[in-house]
Amino acid sequence: MPIQVSVEQNQLRHTGFFTRPLLGLWGDGKTLLQGLYGAFSPYGATIANIRNESTSLSPNDQVVSVSLGLNKIHRFRLDRTETTVTNFSQEDLKAFPELIAASERWMREAVPSFAFGSHVFAYAAHGRPRGESVEEMLKALGPSAPSVGGTDRGTGLTFHWELPDSGWRTQLAIDHSILIPEGLFIMFTLRVDADSLDYGKLAEEGRKYLDGVMNEVGLSISRSA
């Protein structure tokens, strides 16, 4: 039976990289604010939730964010968008694809030539394996560490895969958590080089895929994660 990992902290982020920076929106605050407000007001965003986080006048540093409750935030940059949900519930997870789709819609309306070049989804979790020591678990999973380094506490693992049929590139990292004492860190990354996606379908397929590779490693993320 796989070892159950009880998640205590988690985060899911989507980064959508544009094929070309949307330089036409630099300085066009009206279009940008109307687009972001129109996209996210159905999800509770008000004008007070929209902030300019730019750190300089450089185009590369232009950032406008939209806070969506206490645990969700969307950031628009001239070359990409970032949508993040932290310590999420299953309800948050189900709504996440809708937020990405809402962001995509307003950009396509504002800039007819707009296109994504790639999408990167990154899931990170810190938790505890039930009934198991992280140190002993990693020793069993990973290679032996050089003895001259000191006391072996178990070696982390990083796997890389390509799935030509779906166009996915994936990575799974398993290691000690630096946030939770005696905890486990898991990070799963999925990249798709494509323009438009069915985000709901991808979320479902990605979750099943992660469950499958985790099960083969001998771990299972608790469904509360």
Side-chain angles (χ1 to χ4, degrees):
M1 290 290 292
I3 299 170
Q4 292 287 319
V5 179
S6 180
V7 173
E8 297 184 12
Q9 297 182 39
N10 61 24
Q11 183 182 89
L12 177 63
R13 172 176 292 182
H14 166 263
T15 304
F17 294 94
F18 309 156
T19 54
R20 294 176 62 86
L22 302 185
L23 297 178
L25 294 180
W26 190 28
D28 188 354
K30 179 180 177 181
T31 299
L32 183 56
L33 291 175
Q34 285 181 338
L36 290 171
Y37 180 79
F40 296 111
S41 58
Y43 303 96
T46 68
I47 191 66
N49 300 122
I50 302 176
R51 295 183 56 208
N52 185 340
E53 296 184 356
S54 305
T55 57
S56 77
L57 296 179
S58 168
N60 191 53
D61 294 330
Q62 302 308 298
V63 185
V64 179
S65 68
V66 185
S67 299
L68 299 161
L70 298 176
N71 68 333
K72 295 182 285 293
I73 190 165
H74 174 82
R75 288 186 171 92
F76 171 87
R77 302 175 187 268
L78 292 176
D79 63 344
R80 66 190 184 276
T81 58
E82 300 166 353
T83 307
T84 306
V85 57
T86 304
N87 295 331
F88 53 83
S89 64
Q90 289 299 312
E91 186 175 325
D92 292 326
L93 194 60
K94 289 179 182 178
F96 192 72
E98 299 176 13
L99 299 179
I100 306 171
S103 169
E104 178 181 332
R105 281 194 298 272
W106 88 258
M107 290 187 294
R108 291 192 187 280
E109 291 172 2
V111 184
S113 62
F114 168 83
F116 282 114
S118 63
H119 300 263
V120 177
F121 297 84
Y123 167 75
H126 298 263
R128 301 179 193 275
R130 297 175 184 171
E132 292 285 340
S133 158
V134 172
E135 183 174 317
E136 293 304 316
M137 187 191 74
L138 289 177
K139 284 181 181 179
L141 290 175
S144 299
S147 59
V148 295
T151 302
D152 183 9
R153 297 204 59 228
T155 304
L157 301 168
T158 302
F159 303 96
H160 301 266
W161 297 280
E162 286 191 9
L163 292 84
D165 290 344
S166 59
W168 292 8
R169 291 176 58 190
T170 61
Q171 180 187 87
L172 175 65
I174 303 171
D175 208 338
H176 288 277
S177 169
I178 60 173
L179 296 182
I180 299 176
E182 304 303 321
L184 185 70
F185 172 71
I186 299 166
M187 185 165 186
F188 172 66
T189 306
L190 187 160
R191 173 174 175 147
V192 187
D193 292 333
D195 179 17
S196 185
L197 298 173
D198 183 332
Y199 300 111
K201 180 181 178 182
L202 183 65
E204 184 177 340
E205 292 176 348
R207 183 63 183 259
K208 290 179 179 178
Y209 176 86
L210 176 58
D211 285 347
V213 295
M214 289 288 289
N215 185 73
E216 191 166 338
V217 172
L219 300 173
S220 176
I221 300 174
S222 62
R223 281 301 172 186
S224 61

